[in-house]
């Protein structure tokens, strides 16, 4: 396979987002926009990826490095246009072989197949191939000026004539070149336009003038949708979710109300899983075969085993792990805890920093007291143990296999295997005392009323 260097341009400030955060860090499907672009570049077979950002964009560089450590970073210190930005990656493209693809970093729905739409044209003999699309409304987009199968030029909307603005074939977001052609032409771009900037699209005319073969590939409009403001961000999120829902249903997942379920970019769901309405999946979720996720559950960073049951109204936080057939019921929160095979945590409970064994029963209102104000401590509950309702397990503490903790207990010491633990005050009844208290309270209320 021909080598590919992808140069991602992400130096813009994205002022229309009205945000302190750079535009490309806003998320779609739980991933920063620029992360989607880098993932598409990797899916297309990129051997190297360069990211060009602007001054003060350390957050972008950190985010992309966390997802793709191999990315090489470059900075465009002064905004002089897209061609100038691409030239910042000279250290890589000076020695690159094969193909170079330059892509804009604000297209969250981009896929590897969109890269292939232009790379395949290079494979077929072209020297330059530009990704195009035909939007319903071409206003604002650069137009592709063609003659038969040849792409003559890309004309930015601001610089286009009235006749050129009637063209519906528009510039998308990927420009692909044979490496030697890109090297020969990138420094020949001039700022002869209304913005006084160096446009990457001008390489098309330069390539034609040099006798190179220039053409285009096509992409669906949704795939190459750019994000410039909050409205477009919301639309991109909606389109992303629609694709995810369809893919999961085709793969054998039942969605009771597809439009109310929200997925992240990396959600993994096995077949025969059922998901009820109003469920949200943050990043890092895997679900085993036959599991059921009941309505109004919020899940992130969690692993759910086969035939497990979650919710309704459950919250699974990062590092929650549910074993096969485990049950986490309504108004239960699990954080950084292993719930063993067949264990039940049915209602109104918090389990954090814990290991819960197989076939354990956790009663209503149980909490693991895991934080002492400075450090988190771990609770361990052995297989087949029973924790009575409204008990508090004060970590660090271990409840042994087969042990029973009576309801309402506050457990501060380890409980041996098969032992019964009672840690509550003995009940005392005071005959007639309630009547006296109520009568006194009523009299006080009456006197204040006067």
């Amino acid at each position: 396979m021909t080598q590919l260097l992808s140069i991602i341009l992400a130096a813009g400030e994205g002022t229309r987002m009205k945000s302190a955060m750079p535009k490309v860090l806003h998320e779609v499907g739980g991933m920063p926009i620029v992360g989607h672009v880098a993932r598409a570049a990797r899916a297309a077979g990129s051997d190297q990826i360069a990211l060009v950002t602007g001054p003060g964009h350390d957050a972008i560089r950190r985010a992309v490095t966390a997802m793709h450590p191999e990315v090489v970073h470059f900075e465009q210190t002064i905004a002089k246009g897209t061609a100038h930005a691409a030239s910042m990656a000279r250290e890589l493209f000076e020695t690159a072989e094969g193909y170079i693809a330059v892509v804009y970093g604000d297209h969250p729905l981009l896929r590897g197949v969109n890269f292939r739409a232009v790379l395949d044209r290079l494979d077929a003999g072209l020297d330059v191939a530009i990704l195009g699309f035909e939007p319903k409304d071409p206003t604002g987009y650069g137009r592709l000026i063609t003659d038969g199968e040849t792409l003559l030029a890309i004309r930015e909307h601001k610089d286009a004539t009235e006749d050129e603005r009637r063209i519906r074939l528009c510039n998308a977001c990927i420009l692909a070149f044979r490496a030697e052609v890109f090297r020969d032409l990138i420094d020949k771009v001039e700022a002869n336009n209304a913005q006084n900037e160096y446009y990457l699209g001008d390489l098309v005319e330069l390539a034609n003038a040099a006798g190179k073969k220039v053409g285009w590939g096509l992409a669906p409009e949704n795939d190459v949708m750019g994000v410039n403001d909050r409205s477009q961000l919301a639309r991109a999120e909606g389109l992303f979710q629609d694709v995810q829902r369809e893919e999961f249903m085709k793969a054998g997942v039942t969605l009771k109300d597809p439009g109310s379920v929200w997925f992240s970019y990396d959600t993994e769901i096995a077949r025969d899983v059922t998901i009820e309405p109003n469920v949200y999946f943050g990043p890092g979720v895997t679900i085993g075969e036959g599991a059921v996720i009941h309505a109004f559950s919020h899940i992130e960073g969690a692993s759910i085993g086969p035939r497990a049951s979650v919710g309704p109204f459950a919250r699974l936080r990062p590092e929650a792990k549910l074993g096969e057939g485990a049950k986490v019921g309504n108004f239960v929160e699990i954080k950084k805890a292993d719930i063993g095979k067949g264990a039940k945590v049915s209602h109104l409970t918090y389990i954090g920093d814990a290991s819960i064994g197989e076939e354990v029963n956790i009663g209503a209102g149980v909490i693991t007291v895991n934080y002492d104000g400075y450090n988190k401590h771990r609770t361990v509950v052995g297989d087949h143990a029973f924790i009575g309702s409204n008990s508090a397990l004060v970590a660090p503490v271990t409840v042994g296999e087969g042990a029973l903790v009576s309801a309402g207990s506050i457990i501060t010491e380890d409980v041996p295997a098969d032992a019964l633990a009672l840690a509550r005050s003995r009940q005392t009844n005071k005959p007639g005392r309630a009547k006296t208290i109520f009568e006194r309270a009523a009299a006080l209320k009456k006197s204040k009323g006067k």
Side-chain angles (χ1 to χ4, degrees):
M1 186 174 180
T2 306
Q3 291 186 21
L4 173 63
L5 164 63
S6 292
I7 303 173
I8 301 173
L9 306 185
E13 294 297 331
T15 55
R16 281 188 281 170
M17 294 296 287
K18 300 293 190 293
S19 175
M21 183 168 64
K23 174 176 68 172
V24 297
L25 285 185
H26 287 265
E27 294 183 348
V28 170
M31 179 189 283
I33 293 170
V34 69
H36 286 277
V37 178
R39 186 168 71 155
R42 177 60 65 208
S46 298
D47 301 283
Q48 289 183 305
I49 298 177
L51 178 69
V52 181
T53 51
H57 284 175
D58 290 343
I60 300 176
R61 292 186 278 272
R62 287 195 300 269
V64 173
T65 297
M67 293 179 285
H68 303 278
E70 73 282 3
V71 169
V72 182
H73 297 278
F74 300 92
E75 183 175 304
Q76 184 189 28
T77 55
I78 302 175
K80 293 184 179 181
T82 52
H84 179 258
S87 71
M88 297 298 100
R90 189 177 306 276
E91 177 184 328
L92 292 185
F93 69 67
E94 283 285 12
T95 57
E97 298 180 359
Y99 303 152
I100 294 174
V102 184
V103 55
Y104 303 127
D106 58 353
H107 292 72
L109 305 181
L110 202 63
R111 300 178 294 153
V113 67
N114 304 130
F115 279 80
R116 294 310 321 173
V118 287
L119 298 176
D120 288 348
R121 298 303 310 277
L122 300 185
D123 286 344
L126 291 183
D127 297 300
V128 179
I130 309 303
L131 189 64
F133 73 117
E134 296 180 340
K136 296 182 180 67
D137 180 7
T139 302
Y141 293 107
R143 305 308 202 275
L144 300 190
I145 313 299
T146 63
D147 181 10
E149 294 297 313
T150 299
L151 175 61
L152 300 177
I154 300 175
R155 194 80 72 236
E156 294 298 325
H157 182 88
K158 294 177 182 178
D159 301 313
T161 65
E162 287 302 315
D163 285 342
E164 289 171 339
R165 290 182 181 183
R166 295 189 185 95
I167 296 172
R168 300 199 63 82
L169 181 61
C170 295
N171 183 25
C173 54
I174 303 174
L175 300 90
F177 309 84
R178 295 187 182 278
E180 65 275 11
V181 173
F182 183 81
R183 275 193 294 272
D184 290 344
L185 300 178
I186 187 63
D187 292 328
K188 297 179 181 178
V189 177
E190 298 180 352
N192 298 323
N193 52 68
Q195 300 301 306
N196 195 34
E197 292 185 349
Y198 298 89
Y199 287 151
L200 198 59
D202 289 350
L203 288 171
V204 170
E205 290 184 77
L206 291 172
N208 278 296
K212 305 300 180 181
K213 297 178 181 178
V214 185
W216 70 94
L218 287 174
E221 181 176 2
N222 286 348
D223 287 10
V224 295
M225 175 189 176
V227 170
N228 293 300
D229 56 34
R230 305 284 181 152
S231 178
Q232 291 175 342
L233 181 67
R235 182 168 176 267
E237 183 71 56
L239 292 170
F240 173 86
Q241 294 299 334
D242 286 342
V243 171
Q244 295 292 95
R245 293 161 187 153
E246 286 299 319
E247 289 183 353
F248 280 125
M249 289 189 287
K250 289 177 181 177
V253 177
T254 294
L255 302 181
K256 295 291 189 179
D257 179 19
S260 69
V261 179
W262 288 69
F263 298 102
S264 285
Y265 69 97
D266 60 350
T267 308
E268 297 180 13
I269 307 178
R271 67 179 182 178
D272 292 326
V273 169
T274 297
I275 301 174
E276 293 182 355
N278 297 295
V279 174
Y280 174 85
F281 295 102
V285 176
T286 62
I287 307 176
E289 186 172 325
V292 177
I293 312 299
H294 295 285
F296 294 98
S297 293
H298 187 286
I299 303 169
E300 57 181 324
S303 173
I304 300 169
R307 291 168 292 284
S309 175
V310 177
F313 294 97
R315 184 182 182 196
L316 302 186
R317 291 167 59 191
E319 297 186 59
K321 298 179 182 178
L322 275 58
E324 180 178 353
K327 178 182 179 182
V328 170
N330 50 291
F331 301 104
V332 172
E333 180 176 347
I334 308 290
K335 188 272 294 187
K336 202 175 184 180
D338 300 327
I339 309 300
K341 179 180 179 181
K344 295 179 175 61
V345 190
S346 294
H347 24 239
L348 302 164
T349 292
Y350 170 70
I351 303 294
D353 297 279
S355 296
I356 308 300
E358 296 184 4
E359 304 297 336
V360 168
N361 189 92
I362 305 289
V366 171
I367 60 172
T368 56
V369 185
N370 57 329
Y371 185 49
D372 64 7
Y374 296 95
N375 298 300
K376 299 289 180 67
H377 301 282
R378 197 158 187 86
T379 298
V380 177
V381 178
D383 296 345
H384 306 285
F386 185 100
I387 311 299
S389 296
N390 286 321
S391 293
L393 306 179
V394 183
V397 71
T398 297
V399 177
E401 184 174 341
L404 191 159
V405 173
S406 62
S409 293
I410 299 177
I411 302 299
T412 59
E413 299 178 2
D414 291 350
V415 180
D418 299 318
L420 167 64
L422 299 97
R424 61 191 184 205
S425 299
R426 182 177 296 276
Q427 180 174 323
T428 301
N429 295 329
K430 303 290 185 179
R433 182 66 63 83
K435 183 178 180 181
T436 301
I437 291 172
F438 290 146
E439 288 175 347
R440 185 182 302 158
L444 181 61
K445 181 177 181 182
K446 185 176 181 180
S447 66
K448 287 184 176 180
K450 293 178 180 180

